[in-house]
Amino acid sequence: MKKIVILVSGRGSNMEAMLAARAAGQLPVEIAAVISNRPDAKGLETAANAGIATRSLDHKAYASREDFDHALAACIDEFSPDLVVLAGFMRILTPDFVRHYEGRLLNIHPSLLPSFPGLHTHQRALDEGVRIHGCTVHFVTAELDHGPVVIQAAVPVLDSDDESTLAARVLRQEHSIYPQAVRWFAEGRLRLEGGKVRLAAELVADCALIAPQLAG
Ligand code: GRF
């Protein structure tokens, strides 16, 4: 069974979605550890309560981004994961860190990339007046919120939306597509090859089938 390490900075609802998928027998992975750069992250407490090993490395205790990323990689590698899952991990990563985990580092971002990288994606989508918004799971590159796309989910933007209603609609989809992407990786059906995402052939049809479920 593939081993994963999950990195969180806060609430940890995407991590919880993975724990739930695993408990339901839908995510064949060993969650080896949950690591945070914030000692007070709620996600750490949730993981510990679920009996998962947790570690916290306070980024403020390190003199430079390089020093922190070096310590973080050492902490992650103690668990020898096949895949590192960024789940609301609010740090810009150094190119060396990203290179070290090339092809085994996933992130989720709350927009349809390449639109709206960075912060405040839902408010920016509202300000731009887009009619379709969503979320993206991608392999990580050294560029912020950028990289080969694994799966995306789209939601409508309603005239009645404010930032919180739109965020909630997108978050429901995050909790569906992120465990799905990790499941594909765990089953050996997803990989990065020459900078491009490769999904086992039959999954292309599965992806198309996800779309009708996304209207809500
Ligand atoms: C999610 O919206 C995720 O897309 C973004 O940060 C948020 C984290 O939420 N990267 P949670 O900690 O998983 O609840």
Side-chain angles (χ1 to χ4, degrees), residues 65-83:
R65 197 173 284 285
E66 285 71 21
D67 285 356
F68 173 74
D69 277 9
H70 199 257
L72 179 62
C75 182
I76 294 170
D77 289 349
E78 266 178 46
F79 297 95
S80 311
D82 299 288
L83 179 69

PDB file of all heavy atoms in Angstrom, residues 65-83:
ATOM      1  N   ARG A  65      13.916  30.660   4.458  1.00  0.00           N
ATOM      2  CA  ARG A  65      12.993  29.726   3.795  1.00  0.00           C
ATOM      3  C   ARG A  65      13.724  28.418   3.462  1.00  0.00           C
ATOM      4  O   ARG A  65      13.180  27.331   3.603  1.00  0.00           O
ATOM      5  CB  ARG A  65      12.474  30.409   2.514  1.00  0.00           C
ATOM      6  CG  ARG A  65      11.249  29.800   1.921  1.00  0.00           C
ATOM      7  CD  ARG A  65      10.716  30.621   0.764  1.00  0.00           C
ATOM      8  NE  ARG A  65      10.017  31.821   1.179  1.00  0.00           N
ATOM      9  CZ  ARG A  65       8.788  31.870   1.696  1.00  0.00           C
ATOM     10  NH1 ARG A  65       8.110  30.760   1.870  1.00  0.00           N
ATOM     11  NH2 ARG A  65       8.226  33.007   2.032  1.00  0.00           N
ATOM     12  N   GLU A  66      14.979  28.549   3.031  1.00  0.00           N
ATOM     13  CA  GLU A  66      15.772  27.357   2.674  1.00  0.00           C
ATOM     14  C   GLU A  66      15.955  26.457   3.900  1.00  0.00           C
ATOM     15  O   GLU A  66      15.821  25.241   3.817  1.00  0.00           O
ATOM     16  CB  GLU A  66      17.150  27.754   2.112  1.00  0.00           C
ATOM     17  CG  GLU A  66      17.119  28.289   0.689  1.00  0.00           C
ATOM     18  CD  GLU A  66      16.495  29.677   0.565  1.00  0.00           C
ATOM     19  OE1 GLU A  66      16.442  30.421   1.593  1.00  0.00           O
ATOM     20  OE2 GLU A  66      16.046  30.030  -0.538  1.00  0.00           O
ATOM     21  N   ASP A  67      16.297  27.079   5.047  1.00  0.00           N
ATOM     22  CA  ASP A  67      16.509  26.298   6.273  1.00  0.00           C
ATOM     23  C   ASP A  67      15.231  25.547   6.660  1.00  0.00           C
ATOM     24  O   ASP A  67      15.263  24.377   7.044  1.00  0.00           O
ATOM     25  CB  ASP A  67      16.893  27.209   7.450  1.00  0.00           C
ATOM     26  CG  ASP A  67      18.323  27.695   7.341  1.00  0.00           C
ATOM     27  OD1 ASP A  67      19.016  27.257   6.400  1.00  0.00           O
ATOM     28  OD2 ASP A  67      18.723  28.524   8.181  1.00  0.00           O
ATOM     29  N   PHE A  68      14.117  26.264   6.575  1.00  0.00           N
ATOM     30  CA  PHE A  68      12.848  25.630   6.952  1.00  0.00           C
ATOM     31  C   PHE A  68      12.533  24.469   6.008  1.00  0.00           C
ATOM     32  O   PHE A  68      12.196  23.360   6.457  1.00  0.00           O
ATOM     33  CB  PHE A  68      11.692  26.642   6.941  1.00  0.00           C
ATOM     34  CG  PHE A  68      10.355  25.991   7.154  1.00  0.00           C
ATOM     35  CD1 PHE A  68       9.989  25.521   8.416  1.00  0.00           C
ATOM     36  CD2 PHE A  68       9.479  25.795   6.096  1.00  0.00           C
ATOM     37  CE1 PHE A  68       8.772  24.874   8.618  1.00  0.00           C
ATOM     38  CE2 PHE A  68       8.254  25.152   6.284  1.00  0.00           C
ATOM     39  CZ  PHE A  68       7.903  24.697   7.548  1.00  0.00           C
ATOM     40  N   ASP A  69      12.660  24.714   4.719  1.00  0.00           N
ATOM     41  CA  ASP A  69      12.304  23.657   3.758  1.00  0.00           C
ATOM     42  C   ASP A  69      13.219  22.443   3.910  1.00  0.00           C
ATOM     43  O   ASP A  69      12.790  21.296   3.716  1.00  0.00           O
ATOM     44  CB  ASP A  69      12.370  24.192   2.319  1.00  0.00           C
ATOM     45  CG  ASP A  69      11.093  24.931   1.940  1.00  0.00           C
ATOM     46  OD1 ASP A  69      10.259  25.166   2.836  1.00  0.00           O
ATOM     47  OD2 ASP A  69      10.929  25.261   0.754  1.00  0.00           O
ATOM     48  N   HIS A  70      14.458  22.697   4.272  1.00  0.00           N
ATOM     49  CA  HIS A  70      15.412  21.614   4.488  1.00  0.00           C
ATOM     50  C   HIS A  70      14.952  20.760   5.670  1.00  0.00           C
ATOM     51  O   HIS A  70      14.904  19.522   5.597  1.00  0.00           O
ATOM     52  CB  HIS A  70      16.789  22.227   4.749  1.00  0.00           C
ATOM     53  CG  HIS A  70      17.897  21.269   4.540  1.00  0.00           C
ATOM     54  ND1 HIS A  70      18.553  20.671   5.582  1.00  0.00           N
ATOM     55  CD2 HIS A  70      18.432  20.780   3.403  1.00  0.00           C
ATOM     56  CE1 HIS A  70      19.459  19.846   5.097  1.00  0.00           C
ATOM     57  NE2 HIS A  70      19.411  19.895   3.778  1.00  0.00           N
ATOM     58  N   ALA A  71      14.590  21.428   6.758  1.00  0.00           N
ATOM     59  CA  ALA A  71      14.119  20.711   7.959  1.00  0.00           C
ATOM     60  C   ALA A  71      12.802  19.991   7.672  1.00  0.00           C
ATOM     61  O   ALA A  71      12.573  18.862   8.127  1.00  0.00           O
ATOM     62  CB  ALA A  71      13.936  21.697   9.114  1.00  0.00           C
ATOM     63  N   LEU A  72      11.943  20.646   6.899  1.00  0.00           N
ATOM     64  CA  LEU A  72      10.649  20.037   6.563  1.00  0.00           C
ATOM     65  C   LEU A  72      10.858  18.761   5.741  1.00  0.00           C
ATOM     66  O   LEU A  72      10.242  17.718   6.015  1.00  0.00           O
ATOM     67  CB  LEU A  72       9.799  21.049   5.781  1.00  0.00           C
ATOM     68  CG  LEU A  72       8.423  20.575   5.332  1.00  0.00           C
ATOM     69  CD1 LEU A  72       7.538  20.220   6.530  1.00  0.00           C
ATOM     70  CD2 LEU A  72       7.734  21.660   4.487  1.00  0.00           C
ATOM     71  N   ALA A  73      11.749  18.837   4.762  1.00  0.00           N
ATOM     72  CA  ALA A  73      12.011  17.653   3.925  1.00  0.00           C
ATOM     73  C   ALA A  73      12.569  16.515   4.785  1.00  0.00           C
ATOM     74  O   ALA A  73      12.189  15.349   4.607  1.00  0.00           O
ATOM     75  CB  ALA A  73      12.963  18.006   2.789  1.00  0.00           C
ATOM     76  N   ALA A  74      13.446  16.857   5.722  1.00  0.00           N
ATOM     77  CA  ALA A  74      14.014  15.814   6.590  1.00  0.00           C
ATOM     78  C   ALA A  74      12.906  15.163   7.417  1.00  0.00           C
ATOM     79  O   ALA A  74      12.867  13.931   7.598  1.00  0.00           O
ATOM     80  CB  ALA A  74      15.077  16.418   7.502  1.00  0.00           C
ATOM     81  N   CYS A  75      11.993  15.986   7.905  1.00  0.00           N
ATOM     82  CA  CYS A  75      10.878  15.479   8.718  1.00  0.00           C
ATOM     83  C   CYS A  75       9.972  14.573   7.874  1.00  0.00           C
ATOM     84  O   CYS A  75       9.590  13.472   8.292  1.00  0.00           O
ATOM     85  CB  CYS A  75      10.105  16.684   9.270  1.00  0.00           C
ATOM     86  SG  CYS A  75       8.749  16.246  10.333  1.00  0.00           S
ATOM     87  N   ILE A  76       9.655  15.027   6.662  1.00  0.00           N
ATOM     88  CA  ILE A  76       8.799  14.229   5.767  1.00  0.00           C
ATOM     89  C   ILE A  76       9.489  12.899   5.442  1.00  0.00           C
ATOM     90  O   ILE A  76       8.876  11.826   5.500  1.00  0.00           O
ATOM     91  CB  ILE A  76       8.530  15.005   4.449  1.00  0.00           C
ATOM     92  CG1 ILE A  76       7.690  16.251   4.707  1.00  0.00           C
ATOM     93  CG2 ILE A  76       7.857  14.095   3.412  1.00  0.00           C
ATOM     94  CD1 ILE A  76       7.591  17.200   3.512  1.00  0.00           C
ATOM     95  N   ASP A  77      10.784  12.965   5.125  1.00  0.00           N
ATOM     96  CA  ASP A  77      11.485  11.776   4.614  1.00  0.00           C
ATOM     97  C   ASP A  77      11.680  10.704   5.686  1.00  0.00           C
ATOM     98  O   ASP A  77      11.900   9.534   5.361  1.00  0.00           O
ATOM     99  CB  ASP A  77      12.817  12.185   3.973  1.00  0.00           C
ATOM    100  CG  ASP A  77      12.597  12.916   2.656  1.00  0.00           C
ATOM    101  OD1 ASP A  77      11.451  12.908   2.153  1.00  0.00           O
ATOM    102  OD2 ASP A  77      13.548  13.523   2.125  1.00  0.00           O
ATOM    103  N   GLU A  78      11.558  11.098   6.947  1.00  0.00           N
ATOM    104  CA  GLU A  78      11.560  10.085   8.015  1.00  0.00           C
ATOM    105  C   GLU A  78      10.461   9.050   7.802  1.00  0.00           C
ATOM    106  O   GLU A  78      10.556   7.909   8.258  1.00  0.00           O
ATOM    107  CB  GLU A  78      11.275  10.757   9.362  1.00  0.00           C
ATOM    108  CG  GLU A  78      12.491  11.149  10.139  1.00  0.00           C
ATOM    109  CD  GLU A  78      12.059  11.840  11.430  1.00  0.00           C
ATOM    110  OE1 GLU A  78      11.150  11.339  12.126  1.00  0.00           O
ATOM    111  OE2 GLU A  78      12.635  12.912  11.710  1.00  0.00           O
ATOM    112  N   PHE A  79       9.390   9.470   7.132  1.00  0.00           N
ATOM    113  CA  PHE A  79       8.246   8.563   6.929  1.00  0.00           C
ATOM    114  C   PHE A  79       8.283   7.872   5.564  1.00  0.00           C
ATOM    115  O   PHE A  79       7.389   7.096   5.243  1.00  0.00           O
ATOM    116  CB  PHE A  79       6.930   9.349   7.085  1.00  0.00           C
ATOM    117  CG  PHE A  79       6.754   9.916   8.467  1.00  0.00           C
ATOM    118  CD1 PHE A  79       7.135  11.218   8.756  1.00  0.00           C
ATOM    119  CD2 PHE A  79       6.248   9.131   9.488  1.00  0.00           C
ATOM    120  CE1 PHE A  79       7.000  11.742  10.023  1.00  0.00           C
ATOM    121  CE2 PHE A  79       6.103   9.643  10.769  1.00  0.00           C
ATOM    122  CZ  PHE A  79       6.480  10.951  11.042  1.00  0.00           C
ATOM    123  N   SER A  80       9.303   8.182   4.764  1.00  0.00           N
ATOM    124  CA  SER A  80       9.470   7.583   3.410  1.00  0.00           C
ATOM    125  C   SER A  80       8.167   7.528   2.609  1.00  0.00           C
ATOM    126  O   SER A  80       7.763   6.442   2.172  1.00  0.00           O
ATOM    127  CB  SER A  80      10.023   6.163   3.516  1.00  0.00           C
ATOM    128  OG  SER A  80      11.121   6.127   4.356  1.00  0.00           O
ATOM    129  N   PRO A  81       7.504   8.659   2.417  1.00  0.00           N
ATOM    130  CA  PRO A  81       6.232   8.602   1.687  1.00  0.00           C
ATOM    131  C   PRO A  81       6.422   8.425   0.186  1.00  0.00           C
ATOM    132  O   PRO A  81       7.427   8.865  -0.376  1.00  0.00           O
ATOM    133  CB  PRO A  81       5.610   9.973   1.971  1.00  0.00           C
ATOM    134  CG  PRO A  81       6.781  10.876   2.167  1.00  0.00           C
ATOM    135  CD  PRO A  81       7.847  10.036   2.820  1.00  0.00           C
ATOM    136  N   ASP A  82       5.421   7.792  -0.445  1.00  0.00           N
ATOM    137  CA  ASP A  82       5.386   7.730  -1.909  1.00  0.00           C
ATOM    138  C   ASP A  82       4.842   9.034  -2.476  1.00  0.00           C
ATOM    139  O   ASP A  82       5.114   9.380  -3.615  1.00  0.00           O
ATOM    140  CB  ASP A  82       4.451   6.590  -2.356  1.00  0.00           C
ATOM    141  CG  ASP A  82       4.946   5.249  -1.855  1.00  0.00           C
ATOM    142  OD1 ASP A  82       5.953   4.776  -2.384  1.00  0.00           O
ATOM    143  OD2 ASP A  82       4.345   4.703  -0.904  1.00  0.00           O
ATOM    144  N   LEU A  83       4.034   9.718  -1.650  1.00  0.00           N
ATOM    145  CA  LEU A  83       3.349  10.924  -2.128  1.00  0.00           C
ATOM    146  C   LEU A  83       3.234  11.917  -0.971  1.00  0.00           C
ATOM    147  O   LEU A  83       2.928  11.523   0.161  1.00  0.00           O
ATOM    148  CB  LEU A  83       1.933  10.549  -2.608  1.00  0.00           C
ATOM    149  CG  LEU A  83       1.053  11.678  -3.131  1.00  0.00           C
ATOM    150  CD1 LEU A  83       1.596  12.198  -4.472  1.00  0.00           C
ATOM    151  CD2 LEU A  83      -0.385  11.197  -3.334  1.00  0.00           C
TER     152      LEU A  83
END
